[in-house]
Amino acid sequence: MTTPTFTPRVFSGIQPSGGLTLGNYLGAIKRFVSMQDEAFETIYCMVDLHAITVWQDPADLRRNTRELAAGFIASGISPEKSILINQSQVPEHAQLAWIFNCVARMGWMKRMTQFKDKAGKNAEAASLGLFGYPTLMAADILIYHATHVPVGEDQKQHLELTRDIAAKFNHDYGVDFFPLTEPVIEGAATRVMSLRDGSKKMSKSDPSDASRINMTDDADTLAKKIRKAKTDPDALPSEAAGLADRPEARNLVNIYAALNDQSVEEVLREVGGQQFGTFKPLLAELAVTKLSPISEEMARLMADPSEIDRILSRGAGQAREITAPILEKTYEIVGMVR
Ligand code: AMP
Ligand code: TRP
């Protein structure tokens, strides 16, 4: 069988389950923006169907979806260069997810660490959707035949599952229909940690607001959170190896490097030897310089949600030109009478 060549195409998504964090921005969105100027078609998605795997108040979900779209655009994602959508307006995602529910094996799904983390001790009370979450994610990607998926480190296992699903589908039906997607996990901050606990990832669902930087935080709040971030009493090292057992220090240096488009080594060459009392104000100033224009633009865009809705509606139309034929072909391969 000849291996088909797939159009270089990028897909990625973020859940509108709360505000955007610095983790989302450095781990994912910065890469979304740079890939849109490379030789890729790019599709970026607010995954509202994923968000409801845990309870969302309907009014909050609507506002968060629009705010996330504003965050994408304010960060530099252009609706002219990229297709911008919310997942529920492109029904082929959920339709392909059903097929993948019949391809993925229970044993594969039970190994997913994100489910174990999110369901916690009371897994019996978790929604079935939370358990099935990764097959919908595989469908998000493969309904576009996407070849590259930029994400943070925490999504690696889900992307491996996506490849397993594609390979099993291709094998079971004797086709070369779905591509084996490449994860793109790059940059100095693929895993931004909580400001309060260097062993926990920065997350929009952490109950402590002081643990994260929100893209909508104003300059004062931002500076205060950085000033109060947990650190150790030592000075910064001049080489990356000196950060190995210092998770909180490493996190702040990683954030600085990612915000300033530098490597960790370059940053340490400049700030090595400094105490946190000197470094934290530098970091705060850099964060304000880089993030304030984004939060101001988000606020401006949020003043006219109807424009955001128009962009998402247009995006859905463009997306369905890609997804509808791929779903039709999938149904044909599977043996559905059309
Ligand atoms: P989520 O907010 O869980 O929908 O995540 C959306 C994207 O942001 C995914 O690509 C995640 O890997 C990425 N992301 C979320 N939190 C972090 C973090 N603390 N550090 C790096 N990337 C993150
Ligand atoms: N699971 C991702 C997260 O929580 C969000 C997501 C859903 C996604 N579908 C996707 C990311 C497809 C990349 C590609 O971070």
Side-chain angles (χ1 to χ4, degrees):
M1 204 182 315
T2 56
T3 306
T5 47
F6 292 97
T7 311
R9 193 175 277 155
V10 169
F11 180 92
S12 197
I14 297 187
Q15 300 189 64
S17 51
L20 265 179
T21 70
L22 183 66
N24 297 137
Y25 178 66
L26 296 179
I29 297 180
K30 270 190 79 140
R31 213 81 43 234
F32 298 180
V33 176
S34 60
M35 292 185 93
Q36 120 190 300
D37 294 317
E38 295 169 26
F40 291 108
E41 277 181 37
T42 44
I43 302 119
Y44 298 123
C45 185
M46 320 328 129
V47 290
D48 45 12
L49 297 172
H50 276 113
I52 61 163
T53 56
V54 299
W55 169 253
Q56 303 294 328
D57 174 80
D60 290 347
L61 179 61
R62 240 183 309 267
R63 202 200 52 249
N64 286 333
T65 303
R66 292 179 176 132
E67 191 180 277
L68 181 54
F72 277 29
I73 298 167
S75 301
I77 292 169
S78 151
E80 308 307 320
K81 294 182 189 167
S82 295
I83 298 177
L84 202 57
I85 54 170
N86 60 315
Q87 192 182 29
S88 61
Q89 290 206 72
V90 185
E92 290 79 12
H93 291 229
Q95 289 176 289
L96 185 63
W98 179 257
I99 308 251
F100 287 170
N101 281 342
C102 303
V103 174
R105 305 289 94 184
M106 285 295 286
W108 302 358
M109 302 299 285
K110 283 184 180 164
R111 284 196 285 276
M112 295 295 117
T113 56
Q114 181 173 296
F115 175 76
K116 291 184 218 169
D117 292 346
K118 285 199 177 175
K121 291 192 188 70
N122 200 3
E124 292 293 310
S127 71
L128 184 57
L130 189 65
F131 186 69
Y133 181 113
T135 52
L136 177 58
M137 176 162 164
D140 292 339
I141 296 165
L142 294 173
I143 196 65
Y144 296 91
H145 282 181
T147 54
H148 294 77
V149 180
V151 281
E153 176 70 35
D154 61 330
Q155 295 303 310
K156 199 170 168 195
Q157 192 185 33
H158 287 159
L159 293 183
E160 281 159 9
L161 181 87
T162 300
R163 291 168 68 97
D164 289 343
I165 289 174
K168 182 164 164 60
F169 182 98
N170 289 346
H171 174 267
D172 289 355
Y173 292 102
V175 291
D176 242 331
F177 186 59
F178 288 115
L180 299 186
T181 303
E182 293 293 337
V184 179
I185 303 173
E186 285 172 2
T190 56
R191 191 171 171 79
V192 178
M193 308 310 281
S194 156
L195 298 180
R196 311 300 307 162
D197 176 351
S199 68
K200 261 171 56 186
K201 132 181 137 154
M202 183 182 287
S203 160
K204 54 178 77 132
S205 56
D206 194 310
S208 158
D209 192 60
S211 73
R212 66 178 155 263
I213 291 172
N214 305 301
M215 296 303 284
T216 48
D217 285 343
D218 60 36
D220 284 350
T221 310
L222 232 162
K224 189 143 115 225
K225 285 181 178 175
I226 292 176
R227 200 163 356 104
K228 289 200 171 158
K230 189 174 166 210
T231 43
D232 56 42
D234 297 335
L236 284 164
S238 334
E239 281 169 28
L243 292 171
D245 299 320
R246 300 175 62 187
E248 283 88 12
R250 185 171 64 230
N251 189 39
L252 296 186
V253 173
N254 285 348
I255 291 174
Y256 189 101
L259 278 173
N260 217 21
D261 295 306
Q262 284 180 299
S263 70
V264 167
E265 287 74 16
E266 281 169 336
V267 173
L268 290 178
R269 237 173 276 141
E270 291 164 23
V271 305
Q274 281 182 12
Q275 295 291 338
F276 281 103
T278 314
F279 178 65
K280 280 179 169 178
L282 279 184
L283 176 58
E285 195 187 311
L286 176 65
V288 170
T289 309
K290 297 283 180 173
L291 303 180
S292 299
I294 300 178
S295 67
E296 280 160 24
E297 179 64 5
M298 277 173 81
R300 197 187 65 77
L301 291 165
M302 282 301 280
D304 183 10
S306 61
E307 175 58 19
I308 294 176
D309 292 1
R310 268 194 298 279
I311 290 171
L312 295 181
S313 163
R314 186 163 62 97
Q318 296 168 322
R320 296 193 74 185
E321 288 176 21
I322 303 173
T323 58
I326 290 179
L327 184 73
E328 267 314 300
K329 182 73 187 160
T330 309
Y331 278 159
E332 193 184 300
I333 291 169
V334 170
M336 302 293 171
V337 173
R338 312 307 294 146

